[in-house]
Amino acid sequence: MRFHLLGSLEVLDDDMPVPLGGVKQRAALGYLLLHANRVVATSKLLQALWSRDVPPTARKMLQNAVSGLRGVLTPPGSGSEGSALLLTHAPGYLLRVDPNSLDLSLFQQLTEQGRGELARGNWPAAATVLRRALGLWRGPVLADLAETGINWPELTAIKDSRLATQEDCFEAELACGRHYEIIGELESLIEVEPYRERLGGQLMLALYRCGRQVDALSVYRRTRAALVEELGLEPGRELQELERAILDHAPALDLPPSVQRRHLLAVGRSAVPAPAPAPVVITPPVAEPPAMEVTTVERKLVSVVMVSAQLGLAAGDGDPEDVDEVHREVSAVVHAEVTRLGGVVGGNVGSVFLALFGVPRTSEDDADRAVRAALAIRDRLGSVADAQIGVATGDALVRLPASGAPTASGVLLDQCRQLMALAPLGAVRACTTTRDASSSVTWAADPVPTGGWQAVSCVSPRGATRRAQVPVPFVERERELRALQGLLDEVCERRRPHFVTVLGEAGVGKTRLVCELAAACTSPVVALRGTATAYGDDHGYGPLSDVVRGFASPETLRSALSSLVGAGELADRLYSSLAGLAKAAPDVPADFPAWRRFLEEIADSGPLVVFLEDVHWANDVVLDFVEELGEQAGSVPLLVIATARPELLQRRPSWFGGKRNATTISLEPLTHNGSRSLLNSLLAARELPSELWQALVSRVGGNPLFAVEYARMVSDPRTPCLHNENGLPVPSAVRGILTAQVDSLPFEVKAVLQDAAIVGDLVSPGAVAATGQRDPGDVAKALELLEQRDFLRRQGRNSETGEIEYGFRHPLVRDVVADQLPRAVRTAKQERALAWFEEPALDLTDRRAG
């Protein structure tokens, strides 16, 4: 038997769940397991089961619960081997359990082992063991009992122990150079634990090492504000010293060069504890392999924001101290709004500030974010200063230093400066490219005579990143639609919940598929829909907020809940829990039982389908709730369909894995014929040469969104789209999607992908290593990771060298990646690649890398 406390209480016998009876019996078992192999006094058990108002029959009820547990733990006819023994032992009871069968004991053992490795400085082994310990958790400790109102001190202690283990794990992973990989987890955890200074310091260090100094300092300011305003305490000395070190760019914060070279290998690979020391053997010194080159200069599509703040009357008579005070207030506003929307502040000259969006990582909506930030800055500065703001989008040469803020150069900055200078006071002026790419902004009807467009306002970010659906045929998704319809019929017929995850890359048709199902939902089926956005004011709760507002507006929510469950205590409790979601409040307390009860009550009155779109952008609280809903939902006709990109599985590798009431549907690219059929419908009125048709189908690569964008580009009379030796250009929307995917890679792995793009359509470790002057073994491991992330696909082995060869998953990926390299860098790499291919084949056999 195995016992699980780290999540809902669960007992497994040969991997089959054992029924545990009522709440009191489960609570008694849970409390005894928390004190496994120790005597628990009867009085203590009674106090745990009835915190107050102990009934006269409590002892008899406890005896009945213990008797029932004995039957569960040692079924009739079974031996004692492998089973727990529940013994009467004065002054109470003793539950004997093999520590290896209890997940809490395993967690504690692994934590101690990991801390031992940490103390010895064996960072990879420590990170691996501590991750194994954290992987045992399936949710809050004894989550199902906690929902019934149980609040034992032991639960708080175990929760604190988990947090300490997470902090130890982050420490080890930071030492391994995995700062890129853990930022998202740190950011989510610091939201719910704002007072833990160690967590805050770890997030600051991770952000700093990613070149996000401004974000790191912002974390310090938030942590200090929380401590001072709510507890009246200043941050500890260590956190204050870390802030000073970041401001000074202290070398002590950087990774040692040896770790900088190795930490590529720690991505996606299990670390192995260090072996026992071998006998000392004197050998000649071996030259250390050259450090992997990291691309620090890239050509990127970025959006630039320039803000000129005219201080005016706010600066008084111009006294330097008054000016400085206003200037600091303006600076704080600019930094806050730019950071909130994912940009970086590149610095300032006097009262002119520069911000960059799309650096160091591209987002699909950088232009939209830039304009939204500009409008928010304009509105917030209204009472402090008159602002002139310019926004421009285009190509720039971006430098990404190992530490410090990124910088950009090019005519784009001059264009932005001109737009800023021509903007009236209190106005935001943007270029045409920015306007065309900003879907959530309201613009003046006509362009400004002196150039550019004036931004007026922006709509709510809810759904702002959702591209308008172009009316196109429903191509090659009939099988998936039939599967969803079949699951809906089964849910309605059997009154049993089911959870579906639709996975697919951006633009492959996830939204179109759920739209088809939603259109087919007729009474009595109720459909509610929620969408997560990549940014905005929903704080990651967007899907749940949309679902609540789909049920009722914030103004009518209370009356709608009363109609659903009747007026009374339950309606009041649901309203208090859901009101924050309905209003999209910034600090929404997680109340999983109430949220689940809300959906169950709707489903109980009629079949309910809940569509949760783009959940890869949702915060961890939403993801935790959906996973717990899958485990705890009652017998009601509830179908939950979540759409997500594959990166969700990087955040949650075990997402709904192995659940009986769960299905995952992966949307593959359209076939060649499907792509051609879709393009035919989009370009029905166009006469195109056969060569152009062939090129279009190839470039689309089976992605419906790419087909729409290419059709729009070909149909635009302003775009010369002749098929020539340079090939078809890449539409800006397609380029943004692919660049965002590439920028999600660890920095060194992305550099290997750039080298592979220079080598050609078919690449091998030896050729890529020669092109980038890297170690072939390191390159082979990076190519394996790129295959796992679906950037490359294995094509077999080279018959001459024996090396594994890879091809690019999508023909456009290679073009987009290669275009990021500056001309001089690209030329040098091309020469090295050509030299490698020109070497005799016989010599290549001595350089096998995989």
Side-chain angles (χ1 to χ4, degrees), residues 6-47:
L6 307 181
S8 297
L9 177 61
E10 187 176 63
V11 178
L12 299 178
D13 187 6
D14 290 334
D15 293 329
M16 294 297 294
V18 176
L20 297 177
V23 173
K24 293 304 179 186
Q25 185 167 305
R26 295 173 66 87
L29 177 59
Y31 196 78
L32 289 168
L33 285 170
L34 289 174
H35 301 272
N37 301 312
R38 287 177 287 171
V39 176
V40 179
T42 301
S43 59
K44 197 169 183 179
L45 257 175
L46 291 172
Q47 184 179 5

Side-chain angles (χ1 to χ4, degrees), residues 340-395:
R340 179 176 68 86
L341 289 162
V344 295
V345 178
N348 66 285
V349 177
S351 59
V352 177
F353 295 82
L354 169 69
L356 301 173
F357 288 82
V359 179
R361 288 183 55 172
T362 298
S363 299
E364 299 165 29
D365 50 3
D366 284 315
D368 208 87
R369 293 171 183 245
V371 181
R372 293 184 65 85
L375 290 169
I377 292 169
R378 178 201 67 182
D379 295 342
R380 288 187 60 181
L381 290 182
S383 60
V384 178
D386 293 320
Q388 293 173 285
I389 305 178
V391 186
T393 300
D395 288 315

Side-chain angles (χ1 to χ4, degrees), residues 150 251 316 349 367 401 497 535 544:
I150 285 175
V349 177
Y535 72 96
L544 299 185

Side-chain angles (χ1 to χ4, degrees), residues 632-664:
Q632 302 292 333
S635 298
V636 293
L638 170 65
L639 178 63
V640 177
I641 301 177
T643 70
R645 298 181 188 176
E647 47 259 43
L648 172 66
L649 300 184
Q650 297 172 25
R651 291 177 60 187
R652 300 289 177 108
S654 60
W655 176 260
F656 278 100
K659 298 292 194 305
R660 289 188 300 172
N661 63 340
T663 301
T664 298

Side-chain angles (χ1 to χ4, degrees), residues 567-633:
E569 182 180 349
L570 177 58
D572 293 340
R573 178 170 178 249
L574 291 179
Y575 177 77
S576 65
S577 177
L578 298 173
L581 287 175
K583 298 174 183 175
D587 299 313
V588 178
D591 189 352
F592 290 3
W595 297 352
R596 184 179 72 245
R597 182 68 179 272
F598 166 65
L599 296 178
E600 288 175 339
E601 291 290 345
I602 299 175
D604 194 44
S605 62
L608 172 64
V609 183
V610 178
F611 298 100
L612 303 175
E613 298 189 63
D614 294 336
V615 295
H616 52 276
W617 281 325
N619 65 21
D620 282 328
V621 176
V622 173
L623 297 182
D624 288 342
F625 170 64
V626 175
E627 287 195 287
E628 183 174 293
L629 183 64
E631 297 175 354
Q632 302 292 333

Side-chain angles (χ1 to χ4, degrees), residues 818-831:
D819 285 345
Q820 289 184 326
L821 294 171
R823 285 193 299 268
V825 175
R826 186 162 59 241
T827 300
K829 291 180 183 291
Q830 287 170 339
E831 290 174 354

Side-chain angles (χ1 to χ4, degrees), residues 368 372 439-440 458-467 529-549 581-585 611-614 617-618 622:
D368 208 87
R372 293 184 65 85
S439 59
S440 69
C458 55
V459 299
S460 168
R462 300 297 316 121
T465 56
R466 168 75 60 218
R467 294 180 179 85
R529 194 164 179 172
T531 304
T533 56
Y535 72 96
D537 301 324
D538 59 31
H539 306 279
Y541 286 96
L544 299 185
S545 296
D546 287 349
V547 167
V548 174
R549 285 197 292 266
L581 287 175
K583 298 174 183 175
F611 298 100
L612 303 175
E613 298 189 63
D614 294 336
W617 281 325
V622 173

